[in-house]
Each structure stands twice: as structure tokens, then as C-alpha cells.
Amino acid sequence: MTNDSPLPENHAFSKEATQRSAKAGGITLNYYEATPDVQPSTVGGGLPLVMLHGGGPGASAWSNFGPALPHFAAHFRTLLVDQPGFGASDKPEVVGNYYRHAADHVVALLDELGIAKVHLLGNSLGGGTAMRLALTYPERVGRLVLMGPGGLSLNLFHADPTEGVQRLMDFGADPTRESLRAFISTMVVDQSLVTDELVEERFADATAPGAQDAMRSMGMSFWNPETAEDGMLWREAHRLRKHTLLTWGREDRVNPLDGAMVALKLIPKAQLHVFPNCGHWAQIEAAAEFAEITTAFLSRHVERPPREPKG
């Protein structure tokens, strides 16, 4: 059994009805957008919410956050973005470290859409992108929710690579349904969530044209000595001045819980929420609780007007 009941399905927020695309710094990014019925929303200072998915085989904005869209769109203008190289977004070769590469393209997307400032919610790889974006473009970010974030997580006791990362590498070397199932199994405590349908859906996306080349390019940006250090976001955590909610599954086998401690210590405005009996996909295994906690955190944001210059 999962920790709580999943969020209710709402067919008004279907994948087809919410899908959009736009230019973003020379490439096209795919995203899904929905807004509150009452306009304009003043929750969380009236800022939109951008949600950034993880980086496993077949990952996409919809696979990570599609079921959660109705809840968040009831409170915020919500955009689920396929990061470069994933989902239906373009798959260019990664320039520099992936977090910076993706963050720059997400900001270009916001520019294209005329959005000045957002809240960011990122899972795993998307957490790293969100962190890099907030460090590089602090004026574009309200609050951060980071779920077992890549780059910021620093394993104090667990070996590297972790079990989940090793299974990810195994799929890259041998992209079969069996190796994909082994990877997905490390994402969750509740193994009933690892269905044949999920494996088939993710396998189709993971082996789509260009997907494996994009995964290799992304992965090399964390192994190449010239670009890897830029992805060690924990070294810059002390510079982050945003209110930050770190969320972790207690049984996370990808970025284990001990990886949260350095970030919690270094980020001045950080707090940590741990979900019991939960792995790397808190938004799925603890769906209702995750939605409740993150919405409350984001809703506390107050957008203050800019200071008048001294005469």
C-alpha cells in the first residue's frame, strides 16, 4: 500500500488538453499548462509554479507530475516542463553541465512566455536544474521545493554510485525492459506501482529517436572533468537565499536521506520534510501529503513590491 490515496483524476486536465510548446533559446520545449478557475490567483504571491521532472529513462514532465496537475492548478498557474533532452522537447547536445544547460533554456522559455518570476518544484535531476536556476537568476525565483535533488544531495554515508544510480547506468549499457524494470523498482517502496503498463510506457519513451543519445550527453556532462564540477551544487548551497523546502523519501535508494544533511545545514532558509515508507517518487507514493505540504509552503510566499530608489 502507498502512504496515502493518490490525487483524484480530473479529465479536464488531460495530457492532450494541456500540452503546449514554445521556443526556448534556440530549441523548442514541450510543456503542460493549467490555471486556476479564478483569475488572477493571489496564492503564493500570485507567482506561477514551474515543475521540473527527474532524469531516469523515459522520464518526462507528464510521467512525473501529470496526476498532480489538477491539485496544483487549483492554486497556481502551473507549468510542467519537459527539460531539454526529455519527453517531447528538443534533444540537443548538452553544452556545459546539464543543470546550467537546462536552467538557461527554462529561463528562455519563461522569457518567451512573458513570465518574470516563478516558484520552482524539482524532482531529482529537475531539483538540480531548479537549484542552478535560482543561483544564476535569483530575481526570477520565489520559493523552491526540491525533491531528493541531484547535485545538491551529498551522500555522507552511502557509497557512490547509489543503488538507483547504478541501475540507471545498467540501463544505459543494456537498454532492455528488464533493466528498466530493475531501475524503476529502486524508485519506490511499494512495488505494486511497478506495473507492466508503466514499464512499457517508459520503455517507449526511453528508446524513442534521439532519447538515448540525449541521455548519454546528459550523463557525460556529470562525468567530464571539464563540466562535472559545475554540477556539484552542494558547494554553492550557502549562496542560496530563497525559502527552500527539501523533501525526501526516507527509503530513497537513488539520493538517500543522508544526502539532505549538508543542504539543510548550509541553505539559510531551508527546512526538511521526510516521507516515511517512501522512495524517490514522493509525488507518487505520498501524493496527497506531498501536494498538501508543498502547496502550504508555497502559499506562504508574499511578493513584496520593489523598493523605491532613494532620492
Side-chain angles (χ1 to χ4, degrees), residues 246-261:
L246 303 168
T247 68
W248 240 273
R250 189 181 64 195
E251 285 73 39
D252 193 326
R253 293 150 67 189
V254 181
N255 292 333
L257 179 57
D258 60 286
M261 296 301 107

Side-chain angles (χ1 to χ4, degrees), residues 126-140:
T129 298
M131 175 75 171
R132 173 54 71 198
L133 197 160
L135 288 169
T136 307
Y137 307 96
E139 73 283 358
R140 308 300 295 267

Side-chain angles (χ1 to χ4, degrees), residues 2-3 14 33 61 71 80 84 114 142 145 170 214 228 232 236 246 249 282 298:
T2 54
N3 289 343
S14 69
E33 180 178 0
H71 170 87
L80 318 181
V145 177
D170 291 347
M232 297 178 185
E236 303 177 56
L246 303 168
L298 295 171

Side-chain angles (χ1 to χ4, degrees), residues 91-148:
K91 298 171 174 56
E93 184 175 351
V94 174
V95 177
N97 181 265
Y98 183 84
Y99 295 138
R100 193 177 297 274
H101 170 81
D104 288 346
H105 283 298
V106 171
V107 168
L109 174 66
L110 298 180
D111 289 343
E112 181 72 17
L113 299 178
I115 300 174
K117 191 173 184 179
V118 298
H119 299 304
L120 290 173
L121 189 159
N123 169 228
S124 198
L125 183 78
T129 298
M131 175 75 171
R132 173 54 71 198
L133 197 160
L135 288 169
T136 307
Y137 307 96
E139 73 283 358
R140 308 300 295 267
V141 178
R143 290 190 171 210
L144 287 173
V145 177
L146 305 177
M147 308 166 54

Side-chain angles (χ1 to χ4, degrees), residues 138-212:
E139 73 283 358
R140 308 300 295 267
V141 178
R143 290 190 171 210
L144 287 173
V145 177
L146 305 177
M147 308 166 54
L152 184 58
S153 173
L154 180 63
N155 297 331
L156 299 178
F157 305 115
H158 281 79
D160 289 310
T162 62
E163 181 184 3
V165 172
Q166 184 61 58
R167 296 293 83 77
L168 173 63
M169 296 165 62
D170 291 347
F171 178 83
D174 181 27
T176 65
R177 288 174 175 81
E178 291 71 25
S179 60
L180 180 58
R181 182 182 291 274
F183 167 74
I184 295 174
S185 294
T186 68
M187 298 292 105
V188 292
V189 173
D190 180 5
Q191 293 300 302
S192 70
L193 295 171
V194 188
T195 63
D196 291 342
E197 292 76 14
L198 176 61
V199 172
E200 286 300 320
E201 178 184 329
R202 297 275 298 222
F203 187 76
D205 288 342
T207 56
Q212 293 187 67

